[in-house]
Structure formats: structure tokens, C-alpha cells
Amino acid sequence: MIKLLTIWNFIRRHKYWITVFVFLAIIGFLDENSMVRRVSNIRKINKLHEGIKEYQSEYDENTRRLNELTTNPRSIEKVAREKYLMKKSNEDIYVIEEENTETTENETQK
């Protein structure tokens, strides 16, 4: 009985601090919209904004290249020669492939 009275007196004296502590615990950790979830959501939003910026710059670069291809016939020729190995009738094309350094190292170790 004495312990119960001691606890009750402690609660009566510190009721405001206990209420504030319980409120902060609920808001900070237990609530559906807690501060922990809010901070993690803000981090996710920032990562998504960074991704949007990357995709936007990639989109702008591709749009610029597409406009260049549609307006400049020399750029079409350049792409055809480099990517599809096309050539004029009086030209020869030599394709030089680089050796993979890992395979040459493995062969020398054997």
C-alpha cells in the first residue's frame, strides 16, 4: 500500500512532465505520422528529386542529339559510320578490337 501511495504522489507531483513525455513518445515514435517516418519520407523524397534531375538532364541531352540528327545531315552520316559501320563505296573500314586485359593476365598465369 505504501508503494502505491508513493507512486501516486510521484504521478501527482510530476503529472505535467509525464504528460509531455507521453505526448512526445506518441508523436515521435508511435503515431502513424511519427517524426521518424517523416524524416525517412523526406530522405526518400530528396533521393527521388535527385533521380528526377538525372533523368531530366539525360532527357535534355537526348533531345539535343535528336534535334541535331533531324537537322544536320552530317550528324546522321557520323552516326551511321560509327554505330552501324556504314561506308562509302570507295572506302575500306578496319575494325580494331582491344584485347581484354583480364584474359591475357589469366593466360600468362597458367
Side-chain angles (χ1 to χ4, degrees):
M1 187 71 174
I2 294 175
K3 285 186 178 182
L4 193 59
L5 282 174
T6 313
I7 293 171
W8 180 251
N9 285 335
F10 179 79
I11 291 173
R12 269 190 1 188
R13 272 187 272 150
H14 302 297
K15 60 185 168 194
Y16 295 112
W17 287 110
I18 293 171
T19 305
V20 168
F21 177 74
V22 169
F23 175 74
L24 291 176
I26 290 173
I27 296 299
F29 302 104
L30 303 175
D31 190 30
E32 183 178 301
N33 300 319
S34 67
M35 293 303 289
V36 174
R37 287 188 185 169
R38 180 169 253 185
V39 169
S40 69
N41 287 340
I42 288 172
R43 286 182 183 166
K44 287 179 187 177
I45 288 171
N46 289 337
K47 286 181 183 178
L48 290 173
H49 281 297
E50 290 173 7
I52 288 171
K53 287 179 184 177
E54 290 175 13
Y55 285 124
Q56 185 65 39
S57 64
E58 186 178 325
Y59 172 78
D60 292 339
E61 176 65 25
N62 289 336
T63 303
R64 185 194 60 77
R65 289 172 62 200
L66 178 64
N67 288 338
E68 184 180 337
L69 284 174
T70 56
T71 58
N72 189 358
R74 293 199 60 114
S75 63
I76 294 173
E77 182 180 346
K78 179 182 176 185
V79 169
R81 287 174 174 269
E82 290 176 358
K83 194 168 187 177
Y84 300 109
L85 301 176
M86 294 183 170
K87 65 180 184 89
K88 292 181 180 177
S89 60
N90 59 353
E91 291 180 333
D92 291 330
I93 294 180
Y94 298 100
V95 178
I96 301 172
E97 294 183 7
E98 295 182 17
E99 288 186 21
N100 190 355
T101 57
E102 292 179 13
T103 56
T104 56
E105 289 176 6
N106 291 337
E107 291 173 1
T108 56
Q109 291 177 356
K110 291 181 181 178

